[in-house]
């Protein structure tokens, strides 16, 4: 609040002061040099005095201290004036009261003028603030002394208007125009008269709303003309605050209006708010705020127009009426007389209205899509007469939703007409989605018969696929094609769920969808999506067929395996370069897994073995294709599992019956592998096959009390050992020898136990000691023999 001269004047003063300081410093340095020379000549040198300590840095600048003191003084004086007015007022007579208040107020309001002349701007501002506060106390004192019988609210309205005029006149005086406080204070006081006056005359909600909007309009008129920053900021804050409050109140009055008259009055208020916002947006000083103000003006206009017709229309047409007004706003936005920012804001307002209307349609779309899911718990319980009852089996019908198709079609039409402004691809894609949504909900809205509704959804699916497949070109699909490709399977969700109400409907729908998506798969760009979908519906058709025929789950599982067969054949036809191959194979594998689950759930082991064997055949056929050779391992595993399940069904408990079907193919494959590549290790070629039989048989032999299995196992292990020695193969030699030794130990174990019991207790330690002595005596020979055995085994493969 300290007076600061203009920059040029301040720079001139600084340069003058610096020149004076330089001259004085040179004079002092010259005098100091002479004194030092004189002291050195008269006396021996003395130590130089220590440099004085630096003065403490001030924590508050002088202007800040000044402002704080002035503010504190003004506050204290204001408090004193309030205390005088409230406490000591009654001790004076009428003349004394008038004299004191008039003299003090006039003196305080006149004091800033000489203070400004002396350059004490901050002090003048403080004194002016005190004077403004005294005028408020004067108004209060006047009411308490002479006008106590008047209505308080009405008096406050008149007083605030008078104070606003007085402060504005005071701030615009030539000698007081340099003060920054009076005019913003007058603008703050001007926010109250209309509102307080409406309360005083009991104008009701319409009068209060009108007062808010008129006051906001006045602020809008003042804001661009305010040259000073505080004035403009105060006007802008008042305009936004009162304008938002008035617009909200007018909108609420319009929405709750029960008759044409009330709706018309509320519409007039909304149009007043829209006019105020539009006037502010069109002013050149609006800047970046013009777009937002134009959006507000557009929304208020739509609310006014829609609110006028709402009371005279059925409730079901409320949203379409507002939507029509929002679409009509686009025609106003095309006027060339409006600034570009305003036109763009009106377009955004229309888009907001259309977006809100689309949000209103979402509940019905959700019911149409997932409402039929209730038929999963009541499959084939009987189809209802109308489609609406089928869609809303367990969910309520959204109220006033009969006009949802109208809203969807209207917004789609706007997108088509404005495709150049929105973007052709985005506009057409949005129109396609809205058209699909219209066709999805229209049968439920019209409550067509159940069969007609299914047919309509089927035609919608076919139409989406047709849009996705046309034209039949191998080029990369456009966003329109991708949109239609997504919409087609999405349509089948409610279609399949609705078909669960009746047996015939389920068979017909799943069969038709299978054929439809299979036909669409002839288009290469759609095959990755439609071919798996066709297989999914074929699986559903197989399950429905088995259930309709009264088949057991295991019998239906065999029918479901037709789908993996078809998937394998289709994948072979597509080839490995087509993107649809992997999705088709994955879908086929999922169908096979479903068949396996049905067979397991039945508990029928022979049928489970048959299903596993058929799956093995399918996997083996797939492994014949180039690039699918690893599937052969899965096929082998399936065959082995099928054999094991069949053996379990026959109550076979012999482990060799389960292991030999694994060992024989494994040994054959290993022999073929070594024939093609002689570098293959015997552990890789024969180790898994031999271990698959020898290890389980050895474990079974150790728990077997009969002689047949150990004898046969020993003979087999001996033969394997001899073959390994004959052909110099590590795996047969070591595996066969180990099993043979353990089998022989098992056979000799009873006799060893008997001999051990018959010998004295000192014999085992003695034998161990002799063994250690013998080993130690022939240690070198034994090392040489062990080295030869290792080298011999190393020559084997």
């Amino acid at each position: 609040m300290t007076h600061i001269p203009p920059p040029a004047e301040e720079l001139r003063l600084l340069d003058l002061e610096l020149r004076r300081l330089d001259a004085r410093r040179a004079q002092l340095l010259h005098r100091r040099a002479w004194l030092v020379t004189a002291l050195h000549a008269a006396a021996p040198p003395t130590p130089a005095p220590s440099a004085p300590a630096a003065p403490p840095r001030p924590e508050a600048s002088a202007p800040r201290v000044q402002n704080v003191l002035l503010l504190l003084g003004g506050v204290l004086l204001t408090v004193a004036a309030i205390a005088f007015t409230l406490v000591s007022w009654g001790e004076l007579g009428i003349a004394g009261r008038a004299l004191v208040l008039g003299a003090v107020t006039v003196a305080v309001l006149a004091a800033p003028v000489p203070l400004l002349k002396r350059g004490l701007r901050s002090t003048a501002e403080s004194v002016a603030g005190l004077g403004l506060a005294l005028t408020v106390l004067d108004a209060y004192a006047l009411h308490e002394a002479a006008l106590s019988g008047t209505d308080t609210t009405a008096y406050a309205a008149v007083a605030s208007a008078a104070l606003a005029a007085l402060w504005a006149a005071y701030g615009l005086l030539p000698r007081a125009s340099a003060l920054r406080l009076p005019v913003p204070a007058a603008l703050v006081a001007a926010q109250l008269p209309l509102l307080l006056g409406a309360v005083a005359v009991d104008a009701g909600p319409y009068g209060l709303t009108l007062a808010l909007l008129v006051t906001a309009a006045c602020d809008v008129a003042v804001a661009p003309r305010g040259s000073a920053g505080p004035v403009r900021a105060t006007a802008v804050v008042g305009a936004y605050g009162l304008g938002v409050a008035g617009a909200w109140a007018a909108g609420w009055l319009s929405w709750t209006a029960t008759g044409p008259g009330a709706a018309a009055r509320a519409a007039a208020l909304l149009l007043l708010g829209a006019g105020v916002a539009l006037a502010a947006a069109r002013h050149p000083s609006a800047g970046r705020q013009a777009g937002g103000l134009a959006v507000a003006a557009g929304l208020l206009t739509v609310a006014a127009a829609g609110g006028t017709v709402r009371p005279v229309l059925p409730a079901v047409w409320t949203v379409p009426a507002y939507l029509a007004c929002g679409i009509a706003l686009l025609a106003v936005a095309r006027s060339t007389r409006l600034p570009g920012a305003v036109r763009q804001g009106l377009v955004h307002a229309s888009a907001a209205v259309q977006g809100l209307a689309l949000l209103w349609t979402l509940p019905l779309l959700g019911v149409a899509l997932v409402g039929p899911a209730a038929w999963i718990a009541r499959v084939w319980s009987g189809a209802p007469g109308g489609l609406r009852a089928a869609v809303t089996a367990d969910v309520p019908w959204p109220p006033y939703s009969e006009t949802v198709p109208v809203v969807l079609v209207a917004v789609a039409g706007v997108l088509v007409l404005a495709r150049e402004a929105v973007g052709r691809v985005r506009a057409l894609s949005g129109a396609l989605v809205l058209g699909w949504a219209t066709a999805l909900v229209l049968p439920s809205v019209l409550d067509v018969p159940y069969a007609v509704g299914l047919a309509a959804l089927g035609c919608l699916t076919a139409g989406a696929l047709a849009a996705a497949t046309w034209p039949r070109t191998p080029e990369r699909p456009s966003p329109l094609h991708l949109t239609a490709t997504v919409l087609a399977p999405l349509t089948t969700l409610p279609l399949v769920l609705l078909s669960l109400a009746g047996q015939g409907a389920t068979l017909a729908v799943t069969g038709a969808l299978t054929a439809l998506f299979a036909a669409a798969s002839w288009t290469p760009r759609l095959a990755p999506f439609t071919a798996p979908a066709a297989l999914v519906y074929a699986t559903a058709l197989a399950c429905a067929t088995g259930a309709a025929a009264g088949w057991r789950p295991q019998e239906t599982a065999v029918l479901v395996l037709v789908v993996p067969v078809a998937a394998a054949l289709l994948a072979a036809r597509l080839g490995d370069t087509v993107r649809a191959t992997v999705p088709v194979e994955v879908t086929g594998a999922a169908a096979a897994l479903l068949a396996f689950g049905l067979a397991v759930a039945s508990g029928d082991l022979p049928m489970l073995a048959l299903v596993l064997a058929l799956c093995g055949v399918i996997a083996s056929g797939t492994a014949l294709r180039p690039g699918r050779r690893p599937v052969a391992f899965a096929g082998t595993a399936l065959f082995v599992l099928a054999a094991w399940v069949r053996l379990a069904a026959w109550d076979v408990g012999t482990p060799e019956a389960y292991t030999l079907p694994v060992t024989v193919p494994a040994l054959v494959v290993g022999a073929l592998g070594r024939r093609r590549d002689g570098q293959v290790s015997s552990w890789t070629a024969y180790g898994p096959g031999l271990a698959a039989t020898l290890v389980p048989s050895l474990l079974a032999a150790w728990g077997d009390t009969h002689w047949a299995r150990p004898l046969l196992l020993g003979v087999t292990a001996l033969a394997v050992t001899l073959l390994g020695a004959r052909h110099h193969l590590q795996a047969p030699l070591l595996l066969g020898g180990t099993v043979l030794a353990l089998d022989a130990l098992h056979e000799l174990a009873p006799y060893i136990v008997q001999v051990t019991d018959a010998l004295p207790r000192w014999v085992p330690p003695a034998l161990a000691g002799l063994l250690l002595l013998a080993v130690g005596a022939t240690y070198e020979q034994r090392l040489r023999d062990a080295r030869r055995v290792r080298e011999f085994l190393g020559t084997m493969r």
Side-chain angles (χ1 to χ4, degrees):
M1 295 174 61
T2 303
H3 173 69
I4 298 176
E9 179 65 20
E10 185 179 2
L11 182 61
R12 187 185 66 80
L13 294 176
L14 290 176
D15 291 340
L16 179 61
E17 187 67 24
L18 288 174
R19 286 195 296 271
R20 292 176 180 175
L21 291 175
D22 290 340
R24 180 60 177 168
R25 185 172 183 274
Q27 180 182 359
L28 293 176
L29 289 175
H30 185 270
R31 179 63 178 172
R32 181 179 181 280
W34 183 85
L35 291 174
V36 169
T37 304
L39 290 175
H40 279 288
T46 57
S50 59
R57 183 179 179 182
E59 296 183 357
S61 61
R64 182 173 299 179
V65 174
Q66 166 190 309
N67 294 336
V68 172
L69 293 176
L70 291 175
L71 178 61
L72 182 60
V75 170
L76 293 177
L77 289 175
T78 304
V79 171
I82 294 173
F84 170 77
T85 303
L86 297 178
V87 178
S88 302
W89 179 255
E91 299 178 2
L92 298 176
I94 296 177
R97 299 171 187 175
L99 180 61
V100 171
L101 281 177
V104 172
T105 303
V106 171
V108 172
L109 290 177
V113 176
L115 291 175
L116 289 174
K117 289 183 178 181
R118 295 177 176 272
L120 302 176
R121 183 185 182 89
S122 300
T123 306
E125 293 285 357
S126 300
V127 174
L130 176 60
L132 299 182
L134 288 176
T135 57
V136 177
L137 295 176
D138 290 342
Y140 169 77
L142 179 62
H143 176 266
E144 293 296 324
L147 302 174
S148 58
T150 60
D151 181 67
T152 304
T153 306
Y155 178 79
V158 175
S160 60
L163 289 175
L166 176 63
W167 293 350
Y170 176 70
L172 295 177
L173 290 175
R175 296 183 178 182
S177 59
L179 296 174
R180 292 179 293 181
L181 183 61
V183 177
L187 192 57
V188 172
Q191 311 298 312
L192 302 176
L194 289 178
L195 184 60
L196 294 176
V199 174
V201 301
D202 195 13
Y206 291 93
L208 291 175
T209 305
L210 179 61
L212 289 173
L213 293 175
V214 171
T215 307
C218 295
D219 291 332
V220 170
V222 172
R225 295 172 175 81
S227 58
V231 176
R232 177 173 297 179
T234 305
V236 169
V237 172
Y240 274 109
L242 297 180
V244 171
W248 183 265
W252 178 254
L253 292 175
S254 176
W255 183 254
T256 57
T258 56
R265 292 195 299 270
L269 294 174
L270 288 171
L271 289 177
L272 175 60
V276 172
L278 186 60
R282 296 189 61 181
H283 199 275
S285 63
R288 292 180 296 179
Q289 300 176 356
L293 292 171
V295 171
L299 293 177
L300 291 175
T301 303
V302 172
T308 303
V309 300
R310 183 187 59 82
V312 299
L313 292 176
V316 72
W317 289 98
T318 298
V319 175
Y322 281 99
L323 177 62
C325 298
I327 295 174
L329 193 63
L330 293 175
V332 180
R334 299 182 63 179
S335 175
T336 57
R337 292 182 297 178
L338 297 175
V342 175
R343 293 200 303 269
Q344 191 69 21
L346 295 179
V347 171
H348 290 165
S350 177
V353 173
Q354 298 177 54
L356 292 174
L358 291 179
L359 287 177
W360 174 73
T361 65
L362 291 182
L364 183 58
L365 288 175
V367 170
L369 278 175
V370 300
W375 291 104
I376 297 176
R378 53 182 82 168
V379 178
W380 296 353
S381 59
L387 187 65
R388 184 179 297 185
V391 170
T392 58
D394 282 342
V395 294
W397 180 259
Y400 309 119
S401 58
E402 286 76 11
T403 54
V404 166
V406 177
V407 173
L408 295 173
V409 171
V411 178
V414 171
L415 287 176
V416 172
L417 294 177
R419 58 184 179 275
E420 299 301 334
V422 179
R424 182 179 180 85
V425 175
R426 289 188 296 175
L428 294 180
S429 299
L432 179 61
V433 173
L434 294 176
W436 167 83
T438 304
L440 180 67
V441 302
L442 187 59
S444 302
V445 171
L446 298 178
D447 197 14
V448 299
Y450 173 74
V452 176
L454 291 183
L457 291 177
C459 293
L460 179 59
T461 304
L465 285 177
T469 56
W470 186 86
R472 292 178 176 272
T473 54
E475 288 83 7
R476 187 172 182 176
S478 66
L480 286 175
H481 293 141
L482 294 177
T483 303
T485 304
V486 173
L487 295 178
L490 188 60
T491 311
T492 62
L493 174 63
L495 177 58
V496 173
L497 293 175
L498 286 172
S499 68
L500 297 177
Q503 175 178 315
T506 304
L507 295 175
V509 167
T510 53
L513 291 178
T514 301
L516 188 62
F517 280 89
S521 300
W522 288 96
T523 303
R525 66 167 177 261
L526 294 182
F529 308 99
T530 56
L535 294 176
V536 170
Y537 295 124
T539 305
L541 177 60
C543 294
T545 301
W551 292 355
R552 295 175 299 175
Q554 60 269 29
E555 295 169 346
T556 303
V558 178
L559 182 59
V560 171
L561 287 179
V562 176
V563 177
V565 173
L569 296 177
L570 180 59
R573 179 186 176 279
L574 292 174
D576 296 332
T577 59
V578 182
R579 291 179 301 167
T581 303
V582 174
V584 165
E585 291 176 340
V586 171
T587 308
L593 186 62
L594 175 61
F596 173 75
L598 291 173
V600 170
S602 66
D604 191 345
L605 294 182
M607 290 300 295
L608 177 59
L610 176 61
V611 169
L612 290 172
L614 293 176
C615 291
V617 172
I618 297 171
S620 300
T622 303
L624 297 177
R625 291 170 43 213
R628 295 295 185 269
R629 299 299 172 81
V631 183
F633 295 104
T636 302
L638 290 171
F639 281 128
V640 171
L641 287 176
W644 286 356
V645 171
R646 191 63 198 181
L647 291 173
W650 287 337
D651 294 331
V652 175
T654 303
E656 288 78 12
Y658 295 90
T659 57
L660 286 177
V662 179
T663 296
V664 174
L667 292 177
V668 171
V669 172
L672 294 177
R674 279 184 58 84
R675 180 175 296 179
R676 292 180 180 179
D677 186 4
Q679 300 299 322
V680 177
S681 171
S682 62
W683 289 102
T684 303
Y686 304 117
L690 293 175
T693 295
L694 293 178
V695 174
S697 298
L698 179 62
L699 295 176
W702 273 81
D704 196 348
T705 58
H706 300 86
W707 58 272
R709 176 178 280 113
L711 178 60
L712 293 176
L713 178 61
V715 172
T716 303
L718 178 60
V720 171
T721 304
L722 294 177
L723 288 174
R726 172 68 178 80
H727 296 283
H728 298 273
L729 299 175
Q730 265 190 19
L733 178 63
L734 294 182
L735 285 175
T738 303
V739 172
L740 179 61
L742 293 175
D743 185 64
L745 181 62
H746 171 265
E747 293 302 312
L748 293 177
Y751 301 102
I752 295 174
V753 171
Q754 293 178 2
V755 171
T756 303
D757 291 339
L759 291 176
R761 294 184 178 271
W762 55 268
V763 173
L767 293 176
L770 291 175
L771 178 61
L772 292 175
L773 290 175
V775 171
T778 59
Y779 183 73
E780 184 177 1
Q781 182 65 29
R782 296 297 178 268
L783 287 178
R784 186 165 55 251
D785 294 342
R787 192 177 300 111
R788 290 177 180 176
V789 171
R790 186 182 62 184
E791 292 174 354
F792 174 73
L793 292 176
T795 58
M796 297 183 179
R797 289 173 293 177

